[in-house]
């Protein structure tokens, strides 16, 4: 069935629909990963977004039930140059088209994804509609104006407290849209996890007497959840705090810093990041549209990592409190694994009780 992508700036791409055949609207972004499309589809950080894969052939190793990063697909739409209808892999359980149908996600193929990516790079991320019908200008405007992603975290966070048993450190997690592999990375290190909804109060989190608090990844603008920022402020100095992606941004805001939206974001598995302490360059997996800014960063906070493409902040550590957070994804499912040791650094940060560094 023929379908069209209509961008906010008026550009139209014609292609073929697949998956669940129902019109969709969202923020159009691109991901440069050559693999990992299943992890992209199920990553809660993509909630509200129509994701374009820049690699030309997607679906060639199918879909399996072991690599899901959440319960079901979270994207609003999925765009590829060409989908593979005959996947070949020993772990394959079904193909991409079937998975999108079952998860009610509309796909679009046979468009020039290179041209679309260049538009996003030149003009920035923008809203878009994938439609199977002809729309009038007023209908397009109504749909685009009616879309926002302000409540994304509320839609993807856990609805109730969950506990994952372990014999090691007890970590309280604030779930803003956590990926399964982050949970698995802590569990593989023996940690006990108590996972709280995003709107949990600081008193609830501290009441379980954790060794440390972890702030997860998640979708959207960190400034859309001011309530969570206020609760994080109440934990600062009382317990060690670590965070990834959105959690890193929320922590910066809680410390008095600031965040801003990137022109087209960092999304892919090939982003070079420099460790400022060792000088080592690591290839990282990333998925974010906002970053912590240099301006307003508290004087007690040191930058630990920077992005080698645009020099944006990729990590920070507090010089007074036991606080350490990063922008990229060390769990990196499906890879690369250059930064897996970050989880050991998180655990080292939490190992000693108390939220302040020793004098």
């Amino acid at each position: 069935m023929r379908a069209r992508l209509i961008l906010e700036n008026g550009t139209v791409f014609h292609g073929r629909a697949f998956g669940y055949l129902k019109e969709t609207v969202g923020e159009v972004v691109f991901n440069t990963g050559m693999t990992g499309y299943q992890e992209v589809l199920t990553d809660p950080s993509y909630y509200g977004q129509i994701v374009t894969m820049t690699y030309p052939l997607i679906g060639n190793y199918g879909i399996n039930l072991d690599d899901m990063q959440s319960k079901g697909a979270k994207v609003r739409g999925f765009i590829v140059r060409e989908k593979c209808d005959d996947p070949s892999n020993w772990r394959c359980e079904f193909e991409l088209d079937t998975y999108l149908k079952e998860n009610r996600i509309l796909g679009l193929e046979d468009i020039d994804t290179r041209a679309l990516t260049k538009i996003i790079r030149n003009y920035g991320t923008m809203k878009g509609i994938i439609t199977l019908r002809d729309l009038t200008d007023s209908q397009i405007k109504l749909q685009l104006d009616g879309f926002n992603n302000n409540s994304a975290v509320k839609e993807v966070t856990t609805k109730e407290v969950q506990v994952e048993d372990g014999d090691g450190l007890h970590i309280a997690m604030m779930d803003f849209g956590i990926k399964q592999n982050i949970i698995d990375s802590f569990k593989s290190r023996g940690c006990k996890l108590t996972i709280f909804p995003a709107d949990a109060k600081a008193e609830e989190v501290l009441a379980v007497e954790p060794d440390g608090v972890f702030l997860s990844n998640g979708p959207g603008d960190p400034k859309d959840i001011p309530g969570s920022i206020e609760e994080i402020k109440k934990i600062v100095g009382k317990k060690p705090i670590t965070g990834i992606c959105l959690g890193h941004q929320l922590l910066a805001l809680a410390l008095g810093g600031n965040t801003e939206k990137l022109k087209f974001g960092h999304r892919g598995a090939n982003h070079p990041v420099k460790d400022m302490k060792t000088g080592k360059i690591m290839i990282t997996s990333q998925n974010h549209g906002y970053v912590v800014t240099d301006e307003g960063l508290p004087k007690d906070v040191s930058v630990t990592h920077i992005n080698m493409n645009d020099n944006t902040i990729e990590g920070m550590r507090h010089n007074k409190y036991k606080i350490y957070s990063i922008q990229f994804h060390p769990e990196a499912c499906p890879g690369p694994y250059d930064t897996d040791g970050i989880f050991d650094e998180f655990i080292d940060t939490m190992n000693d009780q108390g939220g302040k560094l020793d004098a």
Side-chain angles (χ1 to χ4, degrees), residues 5 10 13 46 49 51 75 99 128 130 149 154-155 181 185 200 207 225 231 233 246 275 281 298 343 346 355 358:
L5 169 67
F13 288 87
Y46 282 108
Q49 295 179 329
V51 180
V75 301
Y99 180 73
I130 303 178
N149 209 28
K154 180 181 177 182
E155 298 299 327
N181 212 44
S185 295
I225 46 175
E231 297 306 316
K233 288 179 181 179
L246 180 65
D275 184 322
I281 306 298
F343 285 99
F346 282 168
D358 296 331

Side-chain angles (χ1 to χ4, degrees), residues 6 74 97 189 209 215 228 255 260 317 319 323 333 350-351 354:
I6 305 172
K74 296 297 187 289
D97 185 48
R189 290 164 171 81
E209 299 183 350
L215 311 177
S228 295
L255 293 171
E260 65 182 4
R317 189 185 291 274
N319 302 321
I323 290 174
C333 195
M350 298 180 183
N351 252 325

Side-chain angles (χ1 to χ4, degrees), residues 160-215:
E160 56 188 22
V161 178
Q162 303 176 42
V163 178
E164 299 277 354
D165 289 328
D167 298 323
L169 290 181
H170 180 197
I171 300 175
M173 291 182 155
M174 296 186 72
D175 173 16
F176 303 106
I178 195 166
K179 289 176 66 177
Q180 181 61 44
N181 212 44
I182 292 177
I183 295 173
D184 292 343
S185 295
F186 279 114
K187 287 177 64 177
S188 70
R189 290 164 171 81
C191 297
K192 174 183 177 181
L193 310 176
T194 303
I195 306 172
F196 291 88
D199 60 358
K201 301 298 182 184
E203 293 77 11
E204 300 174 63
V205 175
L206 295 172
V208 302
E209 299 183 350
D211 296 304
V213 177
F214 174 79
L215 311 177

Side-chain angles (χ1 to χ4, degrees), residues 7-22:
L7 295 178
E8 193 173 3
N9 70 353
T11 304
V12 179
F13 288 87
H14 296 266
R16 290 183 291 138
F18 66 100
Y20 187 73
L21 302 181
K22 184 178 180 180

Side-chain angles (χ1 to χ4, degrees), residues 16-19 55-60 78-87 95-98 100-101 107-110:
R16 290 183 291 138
F18 66 100
Y55 191 69
L57 179 64
I58 299 295
N60 51 311
F78 197 56
I79 300 174
V80 301
R81 177 67 181 89
E82 178 186 354
K83 79 176 191 306
C84 178
D85 293 321
D86 298 299
E95 41 85 30
L96 177 62
D97 185 48
T98 299
L100 292 189
K101 283 185 172 75
L108 179 66
E109 68 168 330
D110 199 24

Side-chain angles (χ1 to χ4, degrees), residues 4 35 50 52 59 73 80 106 126 135 163 250 255 272-273 283 313:
R4 294 183 300 155
T35 61
I50 296 173
T52 304
V80 301
L106 176 59
M126 62 186 78
L135 297 174
V163 178
L250 291 168
L255 293 171
V273 167
I283 303 302
I313 295 172

Side-chain angles (χ1 to χ4, degrees), residues 205 270 316:
V205 175
N270 55 357
M316 65 180 186

